[in-house]
Amino acid sequence: AQSVTQLDSHVSVSEGTPVLLRCNYSSSYSPSLFWYVQHPNKGLQLLLKYTSAATLVKGINGFEAEFKKSETSFHLTKPSAHMSDAAEYFCVVSDGHGGATNKLIFGTGTLLAVQP
Amino acid sequence: GAGVSQTPSNKVTEKGKYVELRCDPISGHTALYWYRQSLGQGPEFLIYFQGTGAADDSGLPNDRFFAVRPEGSVSTLKIQRTERGDSAVYLCASSPGSEREGEETQYFGPGTRLLVL
């Protein structure tokens, strides 16, 4: 079965400093992985996705993630945090391989705080 | 263009009552999903429709939960005999249904916040 583990429930950074949100996955086959962001009282928005093409994936708002099979990781990074990045971030794996479902399996989330 | 919309945005009901939650997917999207997000948790899958049929309902917690999509567009999630534990945000998502299996981007609505008193 597919699963993801987000290693930090809360991360706090200062504006202008790098962001690192950690995610490890477990999958019996080559997974499709996603990062979604959820701002307060707003819907989930896709930041980026990995689908077995390039291992370094660039997303919106300056975020990127690197798929590392040897480490079973898919960490999310951004070189310089902005106040507007404060939100909850979810690492997600798709359970859609070879079956009749495309259901997403979400991690427990990392709440990112950005200090001025 | 319009995104996924959900109504109502908030619903307060009493234990034992019946509720219906509505989802309008993005026009032309053949796939539709329901998820439930409890406080402090990530969303959990409930059910997936491809067209009018439920392709995967393995996430429905029990037989009090039911969902339909009779014309392959709008979907309704129905909860009978509500319990306090059903309180959560119910999220709907849709996807085009045209990408490779497992790689589809799902577009989420803002959710319906259900509170069962």
Side-chain angles (χ1 to χ4, degrees):
Chain A
Q2 280 56 252
S3 67
V4 288
T5 301
Q6 292 185 245
L7 301 169
D8 306 292
S9 57
H10 292 80
V11 169
S12 182
V13 300
S14 297
E15 190 174 20
T17 65
V19 176
L20 170 64
L21 305 183
R22 299 182 295 164
C23 174
N24 286 110
Y25 70 90
S26 174
S27 178
S28 52
Y29 47 78
S30 183
S32 294
L33 293 161
F34 308 76
W35 277 97
Y36 277 83
V37 61
Q38 188 173 40
H39 290 273
N41 299 317
K42 292 198 175 176
L44 286 157
Q45 182 184 21
L46 179 70
L47 279 178
L48 50 82
K49 70 178 181 180
Y50 165 77
T51 58
S52 76
T55 55
L56 182 62
V57 183
K58 293 188 184 297
I60 61 171
N61 300 335
F63 284 94
E64 62 182 40
E66 187 171 7
F67 174 76
K68 291 187 176 179
K69 186 175 180 179
S70 61
E71 299 177 8
T72 62
S73 70
F74 190 58
H75 301 334
L76 182 70
T77 60
K78 182 173 180 177
S80 176
H82 191 272
M83 296 296 290
S84 62
D85 294 329
E88 184 137 35
Y89 292 79
F90 291 97
C91 182
V92 183
V93 63
S94 172
D95 196 26
H97 180 81
T101 183
N102 284 304
K103 69 181 180 185
L104 299 180
I105 298 167
F106 285 74
T108 50
T110 298
L111 189 62
L112 176 66
V114 182
Q115 309 299 329
Chain B
V4 178
S5 63
Q6 293 185 246
T7 54
S9 54
N10 292 279
K11 176 70 177 179
V12 181
T13 191
E14 294 179 342
K15 179 175 178 297
K17 298 288 189 183
Y18 168 83
V19 296
E20 288 190 352
L21 311 179
R22 176 188 167 105
C23 172
D24 278 271
I26 293 172
S27 178
H29 281 192
T30 61
L32 185 145
Y33 313 78
W34 284 98
Y35 294 83
R36 178 168 71 173
Q37 186 174 19
S38 300
L39 197 61
Q41 302 295 318
E44 293 180 315
F45 170 79
L46 295 176
I47 188 169
Y48 157 53
F49 287 89
Q50 184 59 253
T52 60
D56 182 356
D57 64 357
S58 62
L60 295 177
N62 52 60
D63 61 6
R64 294 187 299 105
F65 288 75
F66 190 71
V68 295
R69 195 185 184 201
E71 298 178 357
S73 178
V74 170
S75 177
T76 304
L77 178 66
K78 308 180 181 196
I79 311 174
Q80 298 177 320
R81 304 183 304 281
T82 52
E83 300 177 357
R84 292 194 180 87
D86 299 335
S87 296
V89 176
Y90 289 81
L91 298 167
C92 177
S94 70
S95 66
S98 56
E99 297 183 62
R100 280 182 59 184
E101 193 175 70
E103 296 182 3
E104 288 256 291
T105 295
Q106 295 183 23
Y107 299 86
F108 283 81
T112 293
R113 189 175 301 274
L114 176 66
L115 177 61
V116 182
L117 300 176

